[in-house]
Amino acid sequence: MEWLDVSTWGCCAAREEFVQDLPARIGVGIAFDASGSGEGMGLRVNHIKPGSSADKCYRIKQDDRLCSIDHEDVRWHSAGQIAPLILGQAGTRVRLGFERPGTPKIPFEVVLTRGMGTVLS
């Protein structure tokens, strides 16, 4: 399984190319299953880091599919294209849109703070 970790502490990915340009960037506490990236389904949430802003928003669940970042449709993006859109400076915000399998395809959005245990909206 290929995965992309855009966790609260920032850095990791299964493939070196994802992190070459991202050493000082911080995420929101979500690890994605990237095995189907770029196929129009969106990355699948594999894990949410306890205490992260993704965890504290209480809306994101395992198996949700990432469909947008800051209003940009990313369902056809590869994991390598998505990582730099989610990762950023600690304390900055990012808006993520998700679809939940088994429900009508009505995306929901959350605004998360990178590297913080708080949600701004």
Side-chain angles (χ1 to χ4, degrees), residues 102-120:
T103 64
K105 292 211 176 221
I106 302 171
F108 64 91
E109 289 188 336
V110 294
V111 178
L112 304 174
T113 305
R114 293 174 175 107
M116 307 296 261
T118 58
V119 179
L120 294 183

Side-chain angles (χ1 to χ4, degrees), residues 33-75:
D33 174 358
S35 58
S37 72
E39 297 178 4
M41 295 179 56
L43 297 182
R44 183 182 64 82
V45 174
N46 188 46
H47 175 75
I48 299 170
K49 184 176 182 73
S52 67
S53 61
D55 179 44
K56 290 184 176 186
C57 83
Y58 301 109
R59 294 191 62 203
I60 305 165
K61 298 186 185 300
Q62 188 173 0
D63 295 326
D64 284 350
R65 295 275 182 175
L66 180 68
C67 60
S68 67
I69 301 171
D70 291 330
H71 302 293
E72 178 183 345
D73 188 338
V74 296
R75 286 176 275 221

Side-chain angles (χ1 to χ4, degrees), residues 25 36 48 55 78 95 99:
R25 304 187 130 226
I48 299 170
D55 179 44
S78 70
R95 180 181 303 271
E99 292 177 345

